[in-house]
């Protein structure tokens, strides 16, 4: 059958279990498979017999499993798997006597241990690759890579070889195989060749190993090149003639056309796209692998920058309602608002307000990103912009990601605009949880076109919401919303105009990241804190340090007695093993966390996942624990999570602000925008499991009333660990940009795989916005020159299609995790 990049894997693989597993990885087509990049390349591993082992030096050998057993580690709440292997047959081929070694695996997951025990069953033939060490006088390999080899009696007959070989689509589909169990290699020779050469390593699971993923992708490459995979035990690849190689390469290049303009590729010294895919997934050398990665990384940068530049051009051609601010009525209302404030605007705020005033006076839509430190006064800037739209006779809508934040915005805006204008400026709140009569009334006000300010949650994206006279859209905490949602608001006016757009975030974004993701927007930064703000004192406390913990709780009690408030933040709502409703997600958390509201460690590695980690603290557990402490006797506690109904959330926050319940134990639902001036203390349990930028956001919830404030980060990180180093960054810095860059670097900005946000897939998989800053600048410069000559990309059809795909699929923004 014909095969292309769009061919679904379900039509190529008859093994439905494999198709299902690949789908869970986001791989449903040939293109998905080719762009499922390995996260590292394994260096060539020298073959050595066990007696040739040198502690600390990688090696590979073939062996037979003599014994395998699983032991429970009661003290560590996990499992230990030990296997003893004998390499007598393999050692004989190297003129060495045979010997034995021990393989050791640790895991807190019983499923993983059982799966590995099945692979290491007594009598199994395996290829072992790893680094030996010595333990109690015995040679030991800890967590080595294992490739299973089919039993000798199950070797396929000569006539069936082409169908039963390990790397073929037929083998993966279960066609022609005599044995029902699947193996990583058919022969020892085949397995050793595969293990010893540099090979890509993919993120995998117990259902599908990295080796199987590799085989599937290589098989697809061979099919795209019009060749059948070689039979096991043969050297078809090695004896391919120059003519065969040329034909295969040419066919592969036709199936995988280049996206980059040839001139750009030549000037940068990059591979053809087909050649790059082959170098990544079937590398002849480590150098070729990195050349392939460099090619496709630049391709991503070029597509991204081309898409952003085209979006910027398209925006410049749209029409918008000009909201004059040149000394007419518009400026007077904004000036009266600024004069009414009980504090002096910072220089940064004044500059951004002036920039926005000029933008909104134009007849094409403003597109501006306002990135401000936590507590830098973005809301004041946004309100000045909304007042400019209202004075010009139009509507402005402010969209907030949570009900709590939307209600808070509406209340604060009503207070701040009171007395500025006669009649008073209407401020309308619209949320999904409103009663039907109230919601209909609010929608009617919006649909009437009456000039005013509308504050809404996600309800603003519904088809029932119509603002017929809309001139300005403000998106608060933009990383909680997708591109399509933003665009849906810009299409609300019925007169065909496009509203001005102001998107805001307190999430610190490095400038290179902002250029990558928001290159279609003008970007403003607010770095100064308003007058009266004091530095938040941050402390990292080991949870096992009982004395310091007790002193911290005594300090919090003293602050509560002084009329202040305290947040206690936990990663989970409750323990799902105790029958909690795990299906009720902490929706307001908005971070793609698990169903119980838990923070998923953004820094976790495969090795971390294989080890048992302490269970996360829960809201209910910590509330009960603190209520029993003598420091909190007579103090009322409240809880707040994403499971709570809207009216409950509203009442909880009102009681917390008023001091009825001065201690609030919550999930990260309070992370964004919650503003309680009396809150002076923040305690974050399991702080070593959060992203740095998220910790910075949470910390910014205190000290907003000008009082002294404290953030206590409770950690169970091991001394000297990377987790402890991460917390030192938060302890030592209040600079959001510095924290954001450290966050990205800790999270593996140098890894091959890119980042995703808010549970959505990123269109960028290879580009590293921290380390690839120069590359991004180069790609943008070349894209600008190309679009100047060919703005519609008529001469670059493949690039035009890739740009369109990028624009459609780019729902995620690279921000704090």
């Amino acid at each position: 059958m014909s095969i292309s990049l769009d061919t679904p894997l379900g039509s190529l693989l008859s093994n439905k279990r494999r198709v299902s597993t690949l789908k869970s990885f986001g791989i449903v087509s040939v293109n998905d498979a080719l762009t499922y990049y390995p996260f590292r390349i394994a260096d060539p591993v020298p073959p050595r017999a066990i007696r040739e082992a040198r502690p600390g030096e990688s090696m590979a050998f073939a062996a037979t499993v003599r014994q395998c057993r699983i032991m429970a580690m009661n003290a560590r709440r996990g499992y230990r798997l030990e296997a003893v292997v004998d390499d007598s047959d393999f050692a004989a081929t190297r003129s060495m006597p045979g010997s034995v070694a021990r393989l050791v695996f640790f895991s807190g997951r019983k499923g993983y241990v059982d799966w590995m025990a099945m692979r290491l069953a007594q009598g199994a033939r395996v290829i072992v690759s790893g680094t030996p060490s010595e333990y109690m006088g015995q040679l030991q390999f800890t967590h080595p890579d294992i490739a299973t080899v089919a039993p000798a009696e199950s070797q396929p007959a000569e006539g069936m070889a082409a169908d039963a070989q390990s790397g073929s689509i037929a083998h993966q589909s279960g066609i022609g195989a005599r044995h029902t169990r699947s193996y990583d290699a058919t022969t020892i020779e085949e397995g050793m060749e595969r293990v010893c050469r540099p090979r890509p390593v993919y993120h995998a699971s117990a259902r599908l190993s990295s080796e199987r993923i590799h085989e599937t992708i290589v098989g697809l490459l061979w099919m795209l090149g019009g060749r059948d995979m070689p039979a096991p035990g043969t050297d078809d690849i090695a004896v391919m003639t120059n003519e065969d190689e040329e034909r295969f390469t040419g066919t592969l290049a036709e199936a995988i056309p280049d996206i980059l303009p040839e001139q750009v590729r030549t000037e940068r010294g990059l591979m053809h796209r087909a050649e790059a895919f082959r170098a990544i997934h079937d590398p002849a050398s480590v150098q070729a692998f990195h050349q392939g990665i460099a090619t496709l990384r630049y391709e991503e940068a070029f597509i991204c920058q081309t898409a952003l530049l085209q979006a910027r051009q398209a925006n410049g051609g749209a029409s918008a309602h000009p909201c004059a601010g040149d000394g007419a009525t518009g400026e007077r209302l904004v000036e009266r608002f600024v004069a009414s404030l009980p504090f002096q605007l910072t220089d940064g705020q004044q500059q951004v307000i002036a920039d926005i005033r000029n933008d909104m006076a134009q007849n094409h839509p403003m597109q501006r990103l306002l990135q401000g430190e936590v507590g830098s006064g973005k809301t004041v800037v946004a309100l000045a912009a909304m007042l400019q739209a209202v004075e010009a006779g139009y509507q402005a809508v402010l969209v907030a990601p949570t009900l709590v934040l939307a209600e808070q915005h509406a209340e604060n805006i009503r207070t701040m605009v009171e007395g500025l204008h006669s009649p008073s400026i209407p401020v309308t709140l619209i949320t999904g949880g409103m009663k039907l009569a109230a919601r209909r009334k609010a929608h009617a006000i919006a649909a009437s076109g009456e000039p005013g300010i509308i504050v809404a949650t996600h309800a603003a994206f519904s088809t029932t919401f119509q603002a017929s006279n809309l001139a300005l859209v403000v998106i608060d905490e933009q990383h909680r919303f997708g591109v399509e949602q933003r665009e849906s608001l810009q299409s609300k006016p019925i007169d065909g105009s496009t509203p001005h757009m102001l998107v805001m975030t307190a999430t610190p974004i490095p400038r290179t990241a902002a250029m990558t993701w928001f290159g279609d927007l003008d970007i403003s930064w607010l770095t100064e804190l308003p007058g009266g703000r004091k530095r938040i004192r941050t402390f990292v406390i080991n949870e096992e340090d009982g004395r310091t913990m007790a002193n911290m709780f005594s300090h919090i009690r003293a602050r509560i007695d002084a009329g202040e408030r305290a947040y206690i933040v936990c990663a989970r709502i409750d323990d799902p093993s105790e029958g909690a409703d795990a299906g009720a997600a902490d929706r307001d958390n908005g971070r793609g966390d698990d169903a119980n509201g838990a923070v998923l460690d953004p820094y976790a590695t495969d090795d971390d996942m294989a080890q048992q980690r302490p269970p996360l603290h829960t809201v209910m557990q910590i509330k009960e624990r603190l209520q029993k402490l003598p420091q909190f006797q007579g103090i009322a506690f409240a809880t707040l999570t994403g499971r709570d109904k809207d009216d409950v959330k509203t009442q909880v926050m009102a009681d917390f602000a008023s001091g009825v319940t001065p201690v609030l134990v919550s999930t990260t639902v309070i992370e964004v925008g919650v503003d309680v001036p009396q809150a002076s203390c923040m305690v974050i349990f399991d702080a070593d499991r959060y992203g740095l930028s998220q910790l910075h956001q949470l910390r910014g919830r205190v000290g907003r009333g000008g009082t002294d404030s404290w953030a206590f980060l409770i950690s169970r990180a091991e001394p000297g660990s990377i987790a402890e180093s991460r917390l030192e960054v938060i302890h030592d810095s209040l600079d959001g940009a510095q924290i954001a860059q450290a966050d990205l670097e800790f999270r593996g900005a140098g890894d091959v795989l890119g980042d995703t946000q808010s549970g959505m897939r990123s269109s960028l998989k290879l580009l590293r916005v921290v380390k690839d800053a120069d590359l991004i600048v180069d790609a943008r410069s070349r894209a600008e020159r190309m679009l100047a000559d060919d703005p519609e990309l008529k001469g670059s059809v493949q690039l035009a299609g890739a740009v369109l795909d990028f624009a459609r699929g780019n729902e995620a923004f690279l921000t704090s995790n």
Side-chain angles (χ1 to χ4, degrees), residues 278-296:
R278 192 175 176 191
I280 291 171
H281 295 297
D282 193 19
S285 66
V286 174
Q287 181 184 7
F289 173 84
H290 289 300
Q291 287 176 339
I293 290 292
T295 293
L296 295 183

Side-chain angles (χ1 to χ4, degrees), residues 143-381:
H143 282 276
D145 292 330
I146 301 295
T148 57
V149 181
E153 63 272 13
S154 69
Q155 299 300 312
E158 185 176 352
M160 299 178 61
D163 288 332
Q165 47 80 22
S166 173
S168 71
I169 297 293
H171 174 80
Q172 295 160 10
S173 307
I175 301 173
R178 287 184 176 181
H179 46 83
T180 57
R181 180 180 168 187
S182 61
Y183 296 91
D184 297 319
T186 306
T187 65
I188 293 292
E189 293 75 14
E190 176 196 340
M192 287 298 296
E193 180 183 358
R194 187 180 305 147
V195 167
C196 290
R197 71 179 295 186
R199 69 190 190 282
V201 182
Y202 302 82
H203 285 291
S205 70
R207 294 184 64 192
L208 193 63
S209 67
S210 172
E211 191 67 28
R212 289 297 189 193
I213 294 171
H214 177 233
E215 290 172 353
T216 301
I217 297 174
V218 171
L220 294 170
L221 278 172
W222 277 79
M223 292 180 69
L224 283 167
R227 287 181 58 86
D228 295 325
M229 283 291 289
T234 68
D235 57 356
D236 284 5
I237 297 178
V239 300
M240 185 187 290
T241 66
N242 290 338
E243 184 179 348
D244 290 338
E245 175 69 26
E246 283 185 23
R247 186 181 303 112
F248 174 76
T249 303
T251 306
L252 194 63
E254 291 176 5
I256 308 175
D258 223 345
I259 287 177
L260 287 174
E262 186 174 355
Q263 181 180 353
V264 173
R265 183 165 62 84
T266 302
E267 290 174 352
R268 291 283 304 185
L270 304 174
M271 294 177 167
H272 187 282
R273 192 168 195 248
E275 184 185 5
F277 277 128
R278 192 175 176 191
I280 291 171
H281 295 297
D282 193 19
S285 66
V286 174
Q287 181 184 7
F289 173 84
H290 289 300
Q291 287 176 339
I293 290 292
T295 293
L296 295 183
R297 179 173 289 143
Y298 189 86
E299 178 188 277
E300 285 191 352
F302 197 83
I303 292 171
C304 166
Q305 294 306 311
T306 303
L308 292 172
L309 288 169
Q310 278 197 327
R312 194 180 185 93
Q313 290 175 354
N315 179 62
S319 63
H321 294 299
C323 301
D326 54 359
T329 55
E331 189 174 357
R332 289 203 301 272
L333 181 54
V334 174
E335 285 184 341
R336 289 203 300 273
F337 163 65
V338 171
S340 71
L341 294 172
F343 51 83
Q344 182 71 32
L345 292 181
T346 65
D347 292 341
Q349 286 174 310
Q350 294 180 39
Q351 182 60 54
V352 175
I353 289 175
D355 291 341
I356 291 174
R357 176 184 301 144
N358 293 332
D359 288 347
M360 291 181 61
Q362 308 302 316
N363 59 5
H364 57 80
M366 171 184 72
Q367 294 273 53
R368 184 170 291 275
L369 168 69
L370 176 57
Q371 203 262 285
E373 272 289 357
V374 175
S376 60
K378 296 182 300 299
T379 303
V380 170
V381 173

Side-chain angles (χ1 to χ4, degrees), residues 80 193 212 466 616 699 750:
R80 173 189 176 98
E193 180 183 358
R212 289 297 189 193
Q466 294 295 330
L616 295 164
R699 177 172 61 180

Side-chain angles (χ1 to χ4, degrees), residues 396-454:
V397 60
L398 168 63
V399 184
T402 68
L403 170 72
V404 170
L405 185 54
E407 291 181 332
Q408 182 174 283
H409 275 318
E411 182 179 350
N412 290 342
I413 290 173
R414 287 191 186 102
T415 301
M416 296 172 81
V417 302
E418 188 176 1
L420 289 180
H421 190 272
S422 182
S424 61
I425 298 170
V427 179
T428 305
L429 176 66
I430 300 178
T431 71
M434 295 174 67
K435 293 183 178 180
L436 182 58
R439 188 164 67 247
R440 283 179 174 173
K441 181 179 179 180
H443 278 290
I445 294 173
S448 71
E450 178 187 2
I453 295 173
I454 301 165

